[in-house]
Amino acid sequence: MSEELYANLAIFVLSLLVGFEVMSKVPSTLQTPMMSGANAIHGVVVVGAFAIAAEANNWLLYILVFFAALFAAINVSGGYTVTDRMLGMFDRKPSDKKEADK
């Protein structure tokens, strides 16, 4: 294994540890804004997968790029769906608006 691979693995493991530490400290009231930010990050992952697909030159890379783009797209669409449902919980129902106006 090359020295560059060791450096990349070290960066990956450190990012996992830092990400876990940061996420565990976030209060539940900030989960919706954080999920919106995570959706934007996964959108960048989809774009990165497309950029790597342009440089791919064998079938293994094409398969990896396909799955990377697929999982990132699923994560983006699922994240937006969950965020929309969470924000929908704060909408008042028509009967609640009439009672609030009284």
Side-chain angles (χ1 to χ4, degrees), residues 49-62:
F50 290 155
I52 292 172
E55 299 292 323
N57 56 6
N58 64 21
W59 62 271
L60 180 61
L61 288 177
Y62 286 125

Side-chain angles (χ1 to χ4, degrees), residues 1-17:
M1 290 186 14
S2 69
E3 194 172 311
E4 183 180 353
L5 181 61
Y6 283 128
N8 288 337
L9 284 174
I11 291 169
F12 179 71
V13 170
L14 287 173
S15 67
L16 287 175
L17 294 173

Side-chain angles (χ1 to χ4, degrees), residues 19-37:
F20 177 77
E21 189 66 27
V22 168
M23 295 299 286
S24 64
K25 303 289 188 236
V26 175
S28 60
T29 56
L30 296 177
Q31 292 297 326
T32 301
M34 186 177 11
M35 187 174 290
S36 296

Side-chain angles (χ1 to χ4, degrees), residues 26-81:
V26 175
S28 60
T29 56
L30 296 177
Q31 292 297 326
T32 301
M34 186 177 11
M35 187 174 290
S36 296
N39 290 334
I41 292 169
H42 287 286
V44 171
V45 172
V46 173
V47 172
F50 290 155
I52 292 172
E55 299 292 323
N57 56 6
N58 64 21
W59 62 271
L60 180 61
L61 288 177
Y62 286 125
I63 291 172
L64 289 174
V65 165
F66 171 76
F67 282 113
L70 177 71
F71 290 143
I74 289 170
N75 204 354
V76 168
S77 62
Y80 280 118
T81 302

